[in-house]
Amino acid sequence: MSQAAPPNTPEREAFYDAIEPESMRALWSVMAGIITPEPKSGCVPYKWSYDSVRSRLIEAAGLITAKEAERRVLILENPGLKGSSKVTTSLYCGVQCVMPGEVAPAHRHTQSALRFVLESSGGFTAVGGEKTEMQFGDFVITPNWEWHDHGNTTDEPIFWLDGLDIPVVQFFDASFAEGYGEDQQPITRPQNDSAARYGANMMPLGYERAKPASPIFNYPYARSRDALEQMRRTEEWDPCHGLKMRYINPVNGDWAMPTIGTCLQLLPKGFSGAQTRSTDATVYVGVEGKVRAHIRGQIIEFGPRDVFVVPSWHELKLEAEEDTVLFSYSDRPIQEKLGLFREQRGNQ
Ligand code: 1HN
């Protein structure tokens, strides 16, 4: 396919102008811009330092309660996608703060959400009638259309990262949302019920899941971190990703969420990864250690709780100065199902 539009002539331009009011457009005049030979995105590499996000949230807490805000969140908006509330072209990212004694009132929506807990020694979230406690590093799911509310019964502010598929739902014009009408939904199931039912390498005989999201809604950091620690003993490192595990839906082995793929990875001290790129723009969250990321020539250094974004098809190379753990999420599950996902490893 030729890469440039055919040259304009006065007659052609007059023709384009003439058909515009009739809601028509000449494909050949725009084709090169919409069918690109490789991904072209407004999304740019960027890092948010946790210290500045956290202090802005504390400042926000002086301005508005969690209840009045409904969710006291600062959106991490990609500077290349200004005004869009997007962190990548297809995904949303924010950091939420709940102060001691506050609740974020119950509501539901067709957007799916993940939480990655940044600071909490006992805040809770309730999803579909079950409560779970949130601890640092926990990965928590709110499947779409489930009632959810959050609360802080500790005496310290709590913070977590919210990842949602808002732009995907927006793209399909499929957004629905409603408030529960009370701050908290009734708790109808014991705490850790879903972890016991579906998270112990067993599930109730005859169980059939109607929904695509995992029935487990808290993947505790202690368990995931321990798995990485046990596995490192074999020294089987992926040249690009170190040791990278994906969170799964135990019912079918698919990704834990239908629209957002989530991973936890360990890079050992001194790791110097091979270059890689993939079509799923990815949001990384530092959990432990320190990393230097080379993203298409740009160097970004980041540590615990910092967030950075790697746009689609941007070459990435990760180097770790010390043992490092990263959480990440992307739209990979959707791309895989549509046959769009591509990954290039090394320079081939
Ligand atoms: C939401 O429901 C939460 O439940 C967080 O904590 C962020 C951003 C947009 C729409 C809904 C939450 C959100 C959100």
Side-chain angles (χ1 to χ4, degrees), residues 225 228-229 232 237 241-243 264-268 324-325:
R225 181 69 181 86
L228 292 174
E229 204 54 38
R232 76 181 301 165
W237 306 104
H241 305 294
L243 182 48
L264 192 72
Q265 85 193 83
L266 174 68
L267 307 174
T324 293
V325 180

Side-chain angles (χ1 to χ4, degrees), residues 18-39:
I19 63 174
E20 200 270 344
E22 295 170 31
S23 298
M24 287 182 261
R25 188 176 300 281
L27 174 61
W28 64 86
S29 71
V30 294
M31 190 134 171
I34 54 179
I35 314 290
T36 56
E38 47 180 72

Side-chain angles (χ1 to χ4, degrees), residues 49-95:
S49 293
Y50 182 63
D51 285 351
S52 50
V53 177
R54 187 190 196 279
S55 64
R56 289 296 187 190
L57 275 165
I58 294 293
E59 200 180 328
L63 298 173
I64 194 161
T65 62
K67 190 166 169 157
E68 188 189 351
E70 186 148 344
R71 297 294 185 263
R72 187 194 294 109
V73 175
L74 292 180
I75 298 172
L76 306 189
E77 186 177 79
N78 192 288
L81 304 168
K82 274 198 193 339
S84 66
S85 301
K86 298 174 177 183
V87 68
T88 68
T89 307
S90 62
L91 295 172
Y92 160 102
C93 183
V95 179

Side-chain angles (χ1 to χ4, degrees), residues 11 18 33 37 49 51 86 92 94 96 109 116 133 180 182 194 202 216 285 288 304 309 333 348:
E11 294 78 8
S49 293
D51 285 351
K86 298 174 177 183
Y92 160 102
Q96 181 158 178
H109 38 71
F116 188 75
E133 206 178 271
Y180 186 73
E182 289 171 41
S194 60
M202 296 186 282
I216 299 178
V285 188
E288 296 176 30
V309 54
Q348 81 277 29

Side-chain angles (χ1 to χ4, degrees), residues 306-318:
D306 295 341
V307 178
F308 84 99
V309 54
V310 182
S312 167
W313 215 235
H314 277 48
E315 301 76 7
L316 170 71
K317 184 173 155 34
L318 294 170

Side-chain angles (χ1 to χ4, degrees), residues 20 55 130 188 205 230 232 260 275 340:
E20 200 270 344
S55 64
E130 185 181 330
T188 55
L205 186 65
Q230 300 291 334
R232 76 181 301 165
I260 308 181
Q275 184 171 289
L340 293 172

